[in-house]
Amino acid sequence: MTGPYRNPLPTVDIIIEVEGGIVLIERRNPPFGWAIPGGFVDYGESVETCAVREASEETSLDVHLTDLLYVYSRPDRDPRHHTLTTVFLATAEGQPVAADDAKAAGVFGPESLPEPLVFDHAAILADYFQYKSGVDRKRIFQRHFATLGLT
């Protein structure tokens, strides 16, 4: 094999549940728009530690990780790089305050999501809201398997 290895970059996203809804941030850097808080995993860092760190850095909230939603890895999910994200669910108390690379932060419900949502976050949030409404996780993710020809 010749040339450098090219591997996807690991990231995390954290759907933070607070009173009144979930926390989203408005991005300060391109691509501009609203996003689930998250970011790149540092070398030597676990995805769980990264999730807690990124949540704190972007929203000023101390989170408690409660569940794992799914791992999203479509090569086109991030226009900048091929990334894969581990999406965690978390709880926190208080109101988010934008920090680090977040321009703004807010709390939103399923009917009041801001636009535009960047990356594949609209699809992730659709899965999340289905899961929270009681749809079986297996049924939700069989759709992902089918799009990859894995069913």
Side-chain angles (χ1 to χ4, degrees):
M1 177 178 247
T2 62
Y5 293 105
R6 294 183 65 199
N7 297 315
L9 302 171
T11 67
V12 299
D13 288 299
I14 313 93
I15 299 175
I16 305 169
E17 300 169 336
V18 296
E19 187 175 330
I22 60 165
V23 176
L24 298 176
I25 59 146
E26 184 177 15
R27 292 178 49 82
R28 184 180 306 279
N29 302 309
F32 298 111
W34 289 86
I36 301 165
F40 293 95
V41 178
D42 290 339
Y43 185 82
E45 181 178 49
S46 72
V47 292
E48 296 86 356
T49 301
C50 178
V52 171
R53 174 182 57 79
E54 285 288 345
S56 177
E57 286 177 359
E58 294 184 348
T59 69
S60 305
L61 293 170
D62 293 323
V63 300
H64 173 71
L65 301 179
T66 60
D67 205 349
L68 179 69
L69 183 64
Y70 191 67
V71 175
Y72 296 81
S73 62
R74 279 191 20 219
D76 63 349
R77 64 172 304 275
D78 183 332
R80 304 166 299 172
H81 315 280
H82 178 184
T83 64
L84 57 92
T85 189
T86 303
V87 180
F88 289 96
L89 306 185
T91 58
E93 293 185 13
Q95 290 298 308
V97 176
D100 194 35
D101 55 357
K103 179 177 167 182
V107 177
F108 302 91
E111 304 302 323
S112 65
L113 296 176
E115 292 184 4
L117 289 168
V118 295
F119 309 119
D120 58 349
H121 290 189
I124 293 171
L125 291 174
D127 290 344
Y128 164 76
F129 288 120
Q130 281 189 341
Y131 173 64
K132 292 304 279 191
S133 74
V135 175
D136 181 64
R137 187 189 311 250
K138 184 175 179 180
R139 282 192 45 216
I140 295 168
F141 297 110
Q142 282 176 338
R143 169 174 53 89
H144 295 283
F145 303 152
T147 63
L148 296 170
L150 299 174
T151 58

